[in-house]
Amino acid sequence: MTIQDIILSFICSFFASFIFWLLSVYLTETKIQFADFIEKSINVYANSGTHRYRLKVINIGYREFLEVNYIVKLSIKRLHTANTTYLAFGYSNSNPVLHGRRWQKKNKNLNATWTGQLTMTEASYKEFAKNIYATNIRNAARKKTLTLTDILNTYKDKVNIQVYAFGYDGVTGARKMFLSKTYTYTDVLEGKYNVGDGKYFKKYK
């Protein structure tokens, strides 16, 4: 075998390994996408006139996303350096599996999307009861009647919301984290997510 043959063999092996890695790791990995808007709709399970806020999460990747946990961070801009608090997203005992395209091809009933509701927590009430916040916010927080509607109506474009999704790759078992965009007041729309991937949004007429 000549030197040229050895070099050519090395180059072919390198590109074959690279293509295998690209197909098995990059192109088939878990990919999580968050809906473009936060859904605001009438809460039929609560008092008349109240709203619920929901966000849809979509696995657009090939592999499933397992034991998913979420952290929702809410902050008020230009109010205080340490005014960040956290909202509940869905249910505390909920660790939904977001199935990827690999499993959906086998079973069309497997879901690649999950929609969770954003709600206040004990930590939220404690944070918003502080004197740095508006009187109506403090009073509602101390009574534990404060809602996301109160915060959005009071602080409007100063409100920032971000969602972190933590879970495990269904093939490699690697721990992964995905971060949503920063949602603002204008990203909270009255309407309803379309059935399907949830990326698209239909406003109420």
Side-chain angles (χ1 to χ4, degrees):
M1 179 179 289
T2 65
I3 295 178
Q4 289 85 352
D5 293 333
I6 295 174
I7 294 174
L8 181 62
S9 177
F10 173 79
I11 293 174
C12 291
S13 298
F14 173 81
F15 278 104
S17 299
F18 175 76
I19 292 172
F20 175 78
W21 172 84
L22 186 67
L23 292 174
S24 63
V25 177
Y26 181 73
L27 295 180
T28 63
E29 67 179 351
T30 301
K31 294 181 182 179
I32 299 301
Q33 183 180 70
F34 298 87
D36 296 331
F37 302 97
I38 293 175
E39 174 193 295
K40 177 183 178 181
S41 57
I42 298 297
N43 191 348
V44 297
Y45 303 104
N47 296 329
S48 177
T50 60
H51 293 89
R52 67 177 182 178
Y53 297 84
R54 304 197 306 162
L55 180 65
K56 182 166 279 191
V57 185
I58 313 103
N59 183 1
I60 62 172
Y62 188 71
R63 303 173 183 171
E64 53 272 286
F65 196 39
L66 307 176
E67 298 183 33
V68 187
N69 289 283
Y70 299 95
I71 294 177
V72 182
K73 185 174 72 174
L74 183 150
S75 60
I76 312 297
K77 294 185 295 183
R78 300 186 299 275
L79 182 64
H80 193 269
T81 56
N83 70 324
T84 298
T85 188
Y86 298 92
L87 304 176
F89 187 47
Y91 304 97
S92 59
N93 62 346
S94 177
N95 298 102
V97 174
L98 295 176
H99 295 281
R101 295 195 303 259
R102 180 168 74 109
W103 289 101
Q104 284 191 306
K105 288 180 179 179
K106 299 177 181 179
N107 187 342
K108 297 296 184 182
N109 294 322
L110 293 177
N111 201 351
T113 67
W114 188 78
T115 304
Q117 185 171 340
L118 304 171
T119 56
M120 306 300 291
T121 64
E122 289 297 323
S124 303
Y125 293 135
K126 184 177 180 179
E127 170 63 31
F128 285 108
K130 296 178 181 178
N131 290 332
I132 61 172
Y133 296 99
T135 302
N136 65 309
I137 297 295
R138 295 199 311 269
N139 291 340
R142 290 164 184 169
K143 296 177 183 177
K144 297 186 178 181
T145 59
L146 181 66
T147 66
L148 191 52
T149 299
D150 299 326
I151 297 170
L152 291 169
N153 288 343
T154 299
Y155 293 107
K156 298 187 185 298
D157 59 348
K158 293 182 180 180
V159 176
N160 281 342
I161 298 173
Q162 271 192 308
V163 181
Y164 299 77
F166 298 89
Y168 295 93
D169 186 290
V171 173
T172 66
R175 180 75 165 167
K176 290 182 174 259
M177 187 274 286
F178 296 91
L179 177 63
S180 75
K181 73 174 192 177
T182 299
Y183 296 97
T184 63
Y185 181 75
T186 56
D187 295 317
V188 180
L189 299 180
E190 290 195 46
K192 189 173 183 180
Y193 292 122
N194 290 345
V195 175
D197 65 10
K199 180 181 178 182
Y200 303 101
F201 192 85
K202 182 178 181 181
K203 293 183 180 180
Y204 287 140
K205 294 181 179 180

